[in-house]
Each structure stands twice: as structure tokens, then as C-alpha cells.
Amino acid sequence: MSDTSEIGIGLLGMGVVGSEVARNLLLKADRLAQQVGRPLRLRGILVRDKSRRRDPAVPPALLTTDPEDLVARQDVHVVVEVMGGLRPAYDLIRSALSQDKHVVTANKEVMATHGPELVRLAEEQEVSLLYEASVGGGIPLIGPLHKDLLANEVSSLHAIINGTTNYILTRMSQEGASFQTALRQAQELGYAEANPANDVEGADAAYKLAILASLAFHSQVTGAQVYREGIARLSAVDFRYAQELGYAIKLLAIARREDTALSLRVHPCLVPEEHLLAKVDGVFNAIEVEGDLVGKVVFHGQGAGAKPTASAILGDILEVACNIASGRKPAHTGNLKDGLSILPIEELVTQYYLRVTVSDSAGVLAKIATVLGDLGISIASVIQKAADAASQTAELVIMTHPAKEAYVRQAVQQMKALDVVREVGNVIRVEQQA
Ligand code: NAP
Ligand code: HSE
């Protein structure tokens, strides 16, 4: 006789994502049971504050503030972690795996910091650890990198993988919205992290890039190894000048294999406006993977928000449940054996956009050209903008040919020391090949 007993789920967290997961587990129970062949039953939901108003579809009796008790329950077979943050989420995932529970998580911070160790523990315990929702919201990425693209030698990833910052940049560039207004709206829409500094300063994208790069390059990468700059230095004039030059400004996450090293970086980029990534707006994410067999493939979809993220989590829950129902062992392909080193950012060679405020007088351009020329940095174009008669200043927008980051940094320091330079307003890398 076939086993028709319930598969029990313990949900850690009922915020933006957890609420949508709980709703679907409850409201689509019959459909999910049909797909799995056994009923899925939500046993309990961890929250911090039981008195908060919650979704009326969720019975209050399911709420608990005792995580260890929920994880340890005999009738919980799958633990779904959507509480966020490193701790206690990491400890609870470890505890669940150690107690032979399958785990589904959306937590990029935990996976980018402790992923390989947790995958090893899951392997030892012969349980699943699935984390599709940790990168790209509802876009399938972890699955394809684990399986469909596994035969490829991946050479690069170019990605927009933070919905909050892409939403903010889109609102700023298309509607002239202020940074603060756009961020507030992203928070209201449920896109931002509990601490939005993680989005704005590039940490969230760095965690996600570490997860993708580990899978794509079979090499252990942590979030801390990714060079990152956030979007706070971008101003309205940068968007205007970029547009005039034929570029969009995007927060890109880039991983590229350079012989035996990996270049890993998250920072604002000028992207040619005809390129696909330049057209990815709002909360949408896009990830371009280049492999030796497949060529370039692009994954595109909503990278944040309750429903797209719940889609990925429920997909993982169904995979685990189907494995339990059929008695199949979980498949682990976390083979991180290539051991590539990380290229320092100073070694990067790319093009640069420099915005420099100078005194509007004779000979200024020559002094700046000398600084750049002496360091071997070739100028592709210079435009003089926004001359201000009152302060006798002008703004120069300089585009360089490909140059080494270390020399560009030296040039910026030397320019700042020139008596004719009032301010180096911004330096933005240009990604022609995105
Ligand atoms: P959220 O709205 O802040 O919800 C967090 C939930 O966890 C809340 O229910 C909170 O309880 C609970 N919680 C947090 N710390 C707790 C603790 N120490 N003890 C007990 N309960 C605790 O977060 P979210 O936006 O749903 O994100 C959850 C996870 O999904 C994060 O890892 C995030 O990075 C990831 N993710 C989010 C999105 C998105 O679009 N939001 C997309 C992809 C992945 P209370 O309700 O009582 O405060
Ligand atoms: N805060 C994240 C973002 C959520 O905006 O992309 C999705 O991981």
C-alpha cells in the first residue's frame, strides 16, 4: 500500500516572503498534494512577534516564537527558512540538517558565507538543501547552473541581481525621482532587505554573485571576496551625461574567468543602451551566462517581491516533497574543486567615465591630459559640460580607452592635487561587453 501520510513543513519567518509561502501552502493544499502524491501540512510558523496583524488566511495557532522546538518536531520533515540575516538563521539551518530535516532557504547571506559547509552537512545527512530563491527571486538559476549548464566551461556572468537598486536606478533615470523616494517605494513593495543598506551598498548582489560564481566556476567563493561599490555616489548629472553618451547606468554583478583567477565585482556601470542589460528595468533581474558550449544565455524575470520569490521556494518544497514521497535520495552536485584565486580589483582593465569639476580657465585640459598620459591612460573623448560663470567652473566628462584600475586610481589622486581641479565628482566603470 502506498504511503499517504502528511509531509510536515516548519516555516521560519512570516514576513514578505514567508506570508506568501504560507498562503499558498494553505490555499493550494489540494493541488500541491496532487502533484506530490501526499499531503503537505504546515505545522508551525516562527515569528518574532505573535501579536502583529497577519494574513487572515493563516490560523494564529500556527505561530510560534520557539525556533528550536519547531525545527525539532517529529512531524516536521522540511524546514523552510525565510527569516533572513546570518544569525540565528545559519544556526537553525545547521540544527535542522543535523536532525535529518530537509531545508529550503531564500537566504543568500547564509549561503554565500557558509554554503559549502552546509551542502557537505546535507550530503552527510542524506537530506536536501535547496536555495533557488536566494538569487534572482522567481528566476530559475541555481537549478540550471546545477544541471542544464553543467557541461559548460563558463567564461563569464554579467548580471543585474538586485531588484531594489535596479528599481531605484530606473526611477531615478526615467522619472528623475530622488534616491530616498525611490528607496522608500522599493521598501513598500517588499523588495528591500530588512536592512536596505545591504541592497544599496551592493552587499546583497555580492552574496548572490558569490553563490552563482561558486556554481558556475566550481570554485568556492564567499560574498566577502567580491569587490563591491554601491549606488549612493550616483547623481542626476551622471544619468544625464550617460544618456547623452548613449549609455544606461546599472548596478552590475560581474564574474569573469581570467586564466586561473576569477574577477568578481559589483558596482555601477555604464552599459551601452543597445545592450540587453541596459533595457532591464524596475524590479526585473537579468543574468547572462557565457559558456563554451551554450554560448550566451540570458535569464530574465522578477528578481524580488513576495510572489516571484514564493514561486521559487514552493518549487524547491515540491522537489523535496516528491523525493520524500518517491523515496529518492537528494542529488548533490556541489563540486567546488577548481580552487581559482581572486583577481585584485587593481588588476582590472576596463574603460572609465570620469566627471571632473575644474576651474574654467586656459590650460586646464592640458594638465589633466598630462596626468592621464603619464600613466599610460588614453582618452577616448572629452566633453566640457555645465560651465558656471558665477563660480568660474566647468564640468569635464572624460571617457578613457581600456586602462588598468590601479593607474586610474593613481590618476584620480593626482588630479585631486591639481590646483585647477575643484572636485572629481565620480568615476564609473564602463562595461562594453556586457
Ligand atoms: P521580512 O519581511 O523581514 O520577514 C522576516 C520574517 O522572519 C518575519 O516574519 C520575522 O518575524 C521573522 N524573523 C526574523 N528574525 C527572527 C528571529 N530572530 N526570530 C523569530 N522570527 C524572526 O523578510 P523577507 O523580505 O520576507 O525576506 C526573507 C528572506 O528571503 C531573506 O533571507 C531575504 O533575503 C530573502 N529574499 C527576499 C526577497 C524579497 O523580495 N523580499 C526575495 C528573495 C529572497 P516578525 O514578522 O514577527 O517580525
Ligand atoms: N532585496 C533583494 C533585492 C531581494 O532587492 O533583490 C531579492 O533577493
Side-chain angles (χ1 to χ4, degrees), residues 15-131:
V16 173
V17 177
S19 299
E20 193 62 34
V21 172
R23 272 179 70 76
N24 279 275
L25 285 173
L26 294 165
L27 300 179
K28 291 189 181 166
D30 290 346
R31 190 164 164 265
L32 299 178
Q34 268 175 12
Q35 278 168 335
V36 176
R38 279 170 61 179
L40 303 182
R41 180 75 61 207
L42 190 51
R43 303 286 189 206
I45 306 174
L46 176 75
V47 292
R48 250 183 309 232
D49 176 6
K50 281 194 343 182
S51 66
R52 249 181 72 182
R53 256 172 80 92
R54 307 276 170 186
D55 188 322
V58 179
L62 284 175
L63 302 183
T64 174
T65 53
D66 187 340
E68 281 299 350
D69 180 65
L70 180 56
V71 167
R73 274 176 66 155
Q74 288 297 317
D75 58 359
V76 165
H77 309 101
V78 187
V79 171
V80 179
E81 186 276 309
V82 281
M83 56 200 296
L86 197 54
R87 291 207 127 105
Y90 161 71
D91 308 281
L92 291 170
I93 292 172
R94 262 200 80 83
S95 167
L97 295 172
S98 305
Q99 295 176 65
D100 296 339
K101 315 281 175 155
H102 304 275
V103 172
V104 171
T105 179
N107 197 319
K108 51 266 146 114
E109 190 169 354
V110 166
M111 291 311 295
T113 312
H114 298 290
E117 166 212 328
L118 293 173
V119 169
R120 260 194 314 276
L121 179 57
E123 269 170 346
E124 283 162 21
Q125 302 296 108
E126 297 191 351
V127 290
S128 296
L129 169 60
L130 299 184
Y131 50 99

Side-chain angles (χ1 to χ4, degrees), residues 142-158:
I142 309 292
L145 283 172
H146 255 314
K147 178 175 170 282
D148 312 271
L149 299 174
L150 196 56
N152 282 266
E153 292 273 348
V154 173
S155 50
S156 68
L157 300 170
H158 286 86

Side-chain angles (χ1 to χ4, degrees), residues 108 161-164 191-193 199 204 208 303-304:
K108 51 266 146 114
I161 38 175
N162 183 267
T164 301
Y191 303 155
E193 294 301 298
D199 297 295
D204 179 83
K208 291 168 175 169

Side-chain angles (χ1 to χ4, degrees), residues 359-367 420:
S359 41
D360 198 3
S361 54
V364 170
L365 207 52
K367 287 187 181 176
V420 294

Side-chain angles (χ1 to χ4, degrees), residues 40-308:
L40 303 182
R41 180 75 61 207
L42 190 51
R43 303 286 189 206
I45 306 174
L46 176 75
V47 292
R48 250 183 309 232
D49 176 6
K50 281 194 343 182
S51 66
R52 249 181 72 182
R53 256 172 80 92
R54 307 276 170 186
D55 188 322
V58 179
L62 284 175
L63 302 183
T64 174
T65 53
D66 187 340
E68 281 299 350
D69 180 65
L70 180 56
V71 167
R73 274 176 66 155
Q74 288 297 317
D75 58 359
V76 165
H77 309 101
V78 187
V79 171
V80 179
E81 186 276 309
V82 281
M83 56 200 296
L86 197 54
R87 291 207 127 105
Y90 161 71
D91 308 281
L92 291 170
I93 292 172
R94 262 200 80 83
S95 167
L97 295 172
S98 305
Q99 295 176 65
D100 296 339
K101 315 281 175 155
H102 304 275
V103 172
V104 171
T105 179
N107 197 319
K108 51 266 146 114
E109 190 169 354
V110 166
M111 291 311 295
T113 312
H114 298 290
E117 166 212 328
L118 293 173
V119 169
R120 260 194 314 276
L121 179 57
E123 269 170 346
E124 283 162 21
Q125 302 296 108
E126 297 191 351
V127 290
S128 296
L129 169 60
L130 299 184
Y131 50 99
E132 184 61 69
S134 65
V135 189
I139 310 170
L141 285 169
I142 309 292
L145 283 172
H146 255 314
K147 178 175 170 282
D148 312 271
L149 299 174
L150 196 56
N152 282 266
E153 292 273 348
V154 173
S155 50
S156 68
L157 300 170
H158 286 86
I160 293 173
I161 38 175
N162 183 267
T164 301
T165 46
N166 204 49
Y167 178 85
I168 294 172
L169 296 182
T170 304
R171 298 289 318 272
M172 286 174 77
S173 71
Q174 292 182 359
E175 295 157 37
S178 76
F179 174 85
Q180 283 307 337
T181 304
L183 171 59
R184 201 171 46 249
Q185 284 163 346
Q187 287 176 296
E188 283 163 10
L189 289 163
Y191 303 155
E193 294 301 298
N195 175 6
N198 275 357
D199 297 295
V200 170
E201 293 169 8
D204 179 83
Y207 294 138
K208 291 168 175 169
L209 186 67
I211 293 170
L212 294 182
S214 296
L215 291 170
F217 300 103
H218 312 291
S219 203
Q220 185 171 334
V221 174
T222 65
Q225 290 176 303
V226 177
Y227 174 81
R228 70 177 163 91
E229 286 171 20
I231 61 168
R233 278 183 67 85
L234 295 172
S235 71
V237 286
D238 292 317
F239 290 102
R240 202 168 68 237
Y241 296 161
Q243 227 162 31
E244 288 174 24
L245 291 161
Y247 293 88
I249 302 181
K250 294 290 179 190
L251 184 76
L252 288 196
I254 301 170
R256 190 193 302 279
R257 192 180 175 129
E258 314 266 5
D259 298 323
T260 57
L262 272 182
S263 166
L264 297 166
R265 50 200 171 99
V266 169
H267 52 70
C269 275
L270 263 66
V271 182
E273 62 192 8
E274 63 276 8
H275 192 277
L276 210 137
L277 290 182
K279 301 183 200 331
V280 175
D281 288 332
V283 73
F284 279 78
N285 284 191
I287 299 88
E288 182 191 86
V289 182
E290 184 161 13
D292 62 340
L293 302 175
V294 75
K296 284 185 180 178
V297 278
V298 180
F299 300 84
H300 179 250
Q302 292 181 64
K307 285 181 192 293

